[in-house]
């Protein structure tokens, strides 16, 4: 059992340091060679990723972005998957210096939603048109313990409102034991997410001051235990701003390589949160190693080239402008209309109970209209997970490019569902125009398949997927 190891030696600190030292100013010819390999969408080696992190020449930067756009377009086309976070509790026994939910922070109103309150939140999300939620909680549960989370998953799946329902729940809660992962999997969750925050041990120790989260290795082996527990879609991430982003990207690559080595498949998604102001946290407003907007775009572009088939998630921590810019560079999933305070959908956003400040406050309908105006297809598709196309099975379809034949029509049919059931007239007209344009660009076979599915949706059928 791999997770019985106690030290994550696969994060090789000296190797990362020496690679970064060697690549502070990569040679232009070498960068171009790497970028032309990257355009084949087969991924990059650790050394190649290190070289890309070092580039700063504006011309090369432009070429990096162009390569990322090319890979994003080839693999994901114009789809962007939408979800909403659902904060069920901000009780927490840890002391993460950057987070408003940390145990000793007195500035935050604590609460764990009751199952009825969770259902009420879900009802509101469903009535906006959401089909996917990310369940989020601090690391301390009400008296039921971990059963509270399992109950929340059941409650969320149980909500029905007209045509509306949540079809996929992803979960971002503190690392679990293998036995707990088995139980979580049995509730039918999609992806299990947890972010290492920083892979750099020394920095990790400095910002995690008390509680179970002080244990770097328990956290980093969470994905091993999740996979041993049968969860084959896992999501990892770095909280950017804590340590040097170049270092973190290489460590993230080593984490993925380790999962591939042990389980034959890496992670399903990568999240790229940047530190945002949080009540009661100095470090959140003054990140020790801030990541500039240019570097943030670089991070997304490099990840897109390094692991072309892994989803990249962009949350509403970022502003609408940054979000727009990164869609083209590689982002494949975005949250919209988010609240980070438990009860926030019913009661509105308030900073006292929130985990951090949001950068994008727009409602789902506005985000969808914006995304569609830019030519992206907002997708609520959940087909893969429901048809068991997860983990290795998903990658086997994704790598030869076959997944697109499913994603494109599924994206359009779920978008049309949204337009018919929830959109404002303005968004509906932007959306219908986009659907027409997208269909015109499909091959004959894809168009026929898609039109058949769209006709079913127009006739009142819902949840049409292939
Ligand atoms: N409590 C669990 C944990 O820490 O893994 C799960 C949920 S935690 C609420 C979700 C994530 O929020 C953390 O992993 C961290 O990366 C992020 N986060 C915490 N404080 C933040 C801040 N000030 N700005 C941006 N993201 C933050
Ligand atoms: Fe608790 Fe998670 Fe916030 Fe840390 S990041 S204080 S574990 S909610």
């Amino acid at each position: 059992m791999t997770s019985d190891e106690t030290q994550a030696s696969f994060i090789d600190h000296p190797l990362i340091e020496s690679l970064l030292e060697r690549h502070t100013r990569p040679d232009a010819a070498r960068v171009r060679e790497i970028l032309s390999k990257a355009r084949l969408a087969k991924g990059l080696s650790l050394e190649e990723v290190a070289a890309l992190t070092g580039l700063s020449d504006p011309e090369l930067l432009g070429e990096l972005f162009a390569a990322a756009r090319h890979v994003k377009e080839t693999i994901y086309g114009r789809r962007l998957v939408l979800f909403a976070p659902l904060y069920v509790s901000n009780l927490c026994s840890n002391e993460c210096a950057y987070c408003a939910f940390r145990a000793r922070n007195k500035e935050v109103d604590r609460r764990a939603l009751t199952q009825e309150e969770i259902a009420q939140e879900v009802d509101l999300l469903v009535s906006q048109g959401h089909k996917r939620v990310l369940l989020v909680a601090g690391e301390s549960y009400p008296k039921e313990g971990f059963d509270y989370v399992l109950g929340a998953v059941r409650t969320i799946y149980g909500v029905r409102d007209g045509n509306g329902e949540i079809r996929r729940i992803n979960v971002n809660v503190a690392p679990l034991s293998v036995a707990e992962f088995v139980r979580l999997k049995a509730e039918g969750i999609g992806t299990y997410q947890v972010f290492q925050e920083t892979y750099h041990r020394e920095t990790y120790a400095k910002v995690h001051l008390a509680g179970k989260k002080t244990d770097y290795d328990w956290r980093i082996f969470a994905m091993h235990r999740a996979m041993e527990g049968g969860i084959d879609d896992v999501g990892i991430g770095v909280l950017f701003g804590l340590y040097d982003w170049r270092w973190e990207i290489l460590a993230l690559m080593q984490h993925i390589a380790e999962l591939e080595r042990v389980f034959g498949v890496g992670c399903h998604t990568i999240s790229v949160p940047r530190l945002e102001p949080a009540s009661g946290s100095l470090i959140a407003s003054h990140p020790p190693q801030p990541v500039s907007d240019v570097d943030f775009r670089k991070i997304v572009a490099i990840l897109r080239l390094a692991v072309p088939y892994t989803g990249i998630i962009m949350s509403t921590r970022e502003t609408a402008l940054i979000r727009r810019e990164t869609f083209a560079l590689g982002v494949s999933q975005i949250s919209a209309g988010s609240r980070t305070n438990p009860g926030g959908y019913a009661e509105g956003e308030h900073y006292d109970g929130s985990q951090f400040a949001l950068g994008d406050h727009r409602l789902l309908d506005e985000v969808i209209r914006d995304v569609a105006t830019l030519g992206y297809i907002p997708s609520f598709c959940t087909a893969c997970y429901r048809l068991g196309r997860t983990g290795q099975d998903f990658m086997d379809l994704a790598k030869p490019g076959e997944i697109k034949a499913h994603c494109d029509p599924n994206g359009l049919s779920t978008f049309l569902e949204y337009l018919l059931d929830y959109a404002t007239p303005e968004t509906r007209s932007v959306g219908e125009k986009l659907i027409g344009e997208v269909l015109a660009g499909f091959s004959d076979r894809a168009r026929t398949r898609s039109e058949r599915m769209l006709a079913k949706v127009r006739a009142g059928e819902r949840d049409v997927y292939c």
Side-chain angles (χ1 to χ4, degrees), residues 98 137 172 194-195 197 213 219 239 274 276 317 355:
Y98 46 79
N172 185 330
V194 87
F195 312 147
E197 321 295 11
K213 195 161 164 182
R219 193 165 181 90
L239 183 54
R274 268 197 295 188
E276 295 297 334
R317 289 174 180 85
Q355 195 194 11

Side-chain angles (χ1 to χ4, degrees), residues 87 89-103 110 136-140 172 174 197 208 213 219 239 355:
Y87 279 70
S89 160
N90 59 13
L91 311 182
C92 194
S93 51
N94 291 315
E95 206 35 49
C96 308
Y98 46 79
C99 181
F101 295 171
R102 70 192 166 78
R110 303 284 166 177
V136 188
E139 186 164 5
S140 176
N172 185 330
E197 321 295 11
H208 298 111
K213 195 161 164 182
R219 193 165 181 90
L239 183 54
Q355 195 194 11

Side-chain angles (χ1 to χ4, degrees), residues 363-381:
L363 296 172
L364 176 64
D365 192 74
E366 289 172 70
V367 174
I368 292 208
R369 190 163 60 242
D370 183 34
V371 161
T373 309
L374 293 169
Y376 294 99
I377 308 162
S379 168
F380 293 91
C381 178

Side-chain angles (χ1 to χ4, degrees), residues 236-283:
I236 62 177
V238 167
L239 183 54
F240 287 103
L242 294 176
Y243 191 59
D244 179 1
W245 68 265
R246 296 169 187 82
W247 200 102
E248 302 283 16
I249 295 270
L250 295 191
L252 191 87
M253 290 301 121
Q254 291 189 327
H255 193 177
I256 294 172
E258 161 73 4
L259 295 174
E260 278 171 353
R261 183 186 71 77
V262 180
F263 301 99
V265 60
C267 59
H268 189 65
T269 55
I270 299 175
S271 297
V272 289
R274 268 197 295 188
L275 265 182
E276 295 297 334
S279 87
S281 166
L282 262 182
I283 194 181

Side-chain angles (χ1 to χ4, degrees), residues 182-372:
V182 170
R183 297 181 67 205
L184 192 59
K185 164 82 180 170
E187 295 297 336
I189 69 145
T191 309
Y192 170 73
Q193 285 186 359
V194 87
F195 312 147
Q196 187 63 21
E197 321 295 11
T198 170
Y199 285 95
H200 190 254
R201 274 185 190 272
E202 221 177 286
T203 306
Y204 189 95
K206 276 190 206 150
V207 295
H208 298 111
L209 303 167
K212 197 162 182 182
K213 195 161 164 182
T214 50
D215 188 342
Y216 176 104
D217 294 287
W218 173 252
R219 193 165 181 90
I220 205 167
F221 278 111
M223 295 318 178
H224 289 67
R225 294 192 302 277
M227 286 189 169
E228 284 165 26
I231 295 179
D232 45 9
D233 280 352
V234 297
I236 62 177
V238 167
L239 183 54
F240 287 103
L242 294 176
Y243 191 59
D244 179 1
W245 68 265
R246 296 169 187 82
W247 200 102
E248 302 283 16
I249 295 270
L250 295 191
L252 191 87
M253 290 301 121
Q254 291 189 327
H255 193 177
I256 294 172
E258 161 73 4
L259 295 174
E260 278 171 353
R261 183 186 71 77
V262 180
F263 301 99
V265 60
C267 59
H268 189 65
T269 55
I270 299 175
S271 297
V272 289
R274 268 197 295 188
L275 265 182
E276 295 297 334
S279 87
S281 166
L282 262 182
I283 194 181
S285 311
H286 304 279
Q289 305 234 13
V291 174
S292 70
D293 288 351
V294 174
D295 283 344
F296 191 61
R297 292 206 291 271
K298 241 160 104 178
I299 290 172
V300 172
I302 293 171
L303 290 176
R304 182 68 301 136
L305 299 178
V307 280
Y309 297 96
T310 303
I312 300 180
I313 302 179
M314 179 70 55
S315 76
T316 49
R317 289 174 180 85
E318 298 297 335
T319 61
L321 180 68
I322 289 283
R323 276 153 59 89
R324 280 188 206 114
E325 286 176 352
T326 53
F327 297 161
L329 297 176
V331 165
S332 56
Q333 294 190 24
I334 59 167
S335 50
S338 308
R339 298 279 182 275
T340 67
N341 51 313
Y345 295 109
E347 295 156 21
E349 188 182 350
H350 56 86
Y351 196 55
D352 295 350
S354 299
Q355 195 194 11
F356 47 77
L358 296 174
D360 183 349
H361 299 262
R362 296 170 301 164
L363 296 172
L364 176 64
D365 192 74
E366 289 172 70
V367 174
I368 292 208
R369 190 163 60 242
D370 183 34
V371 161

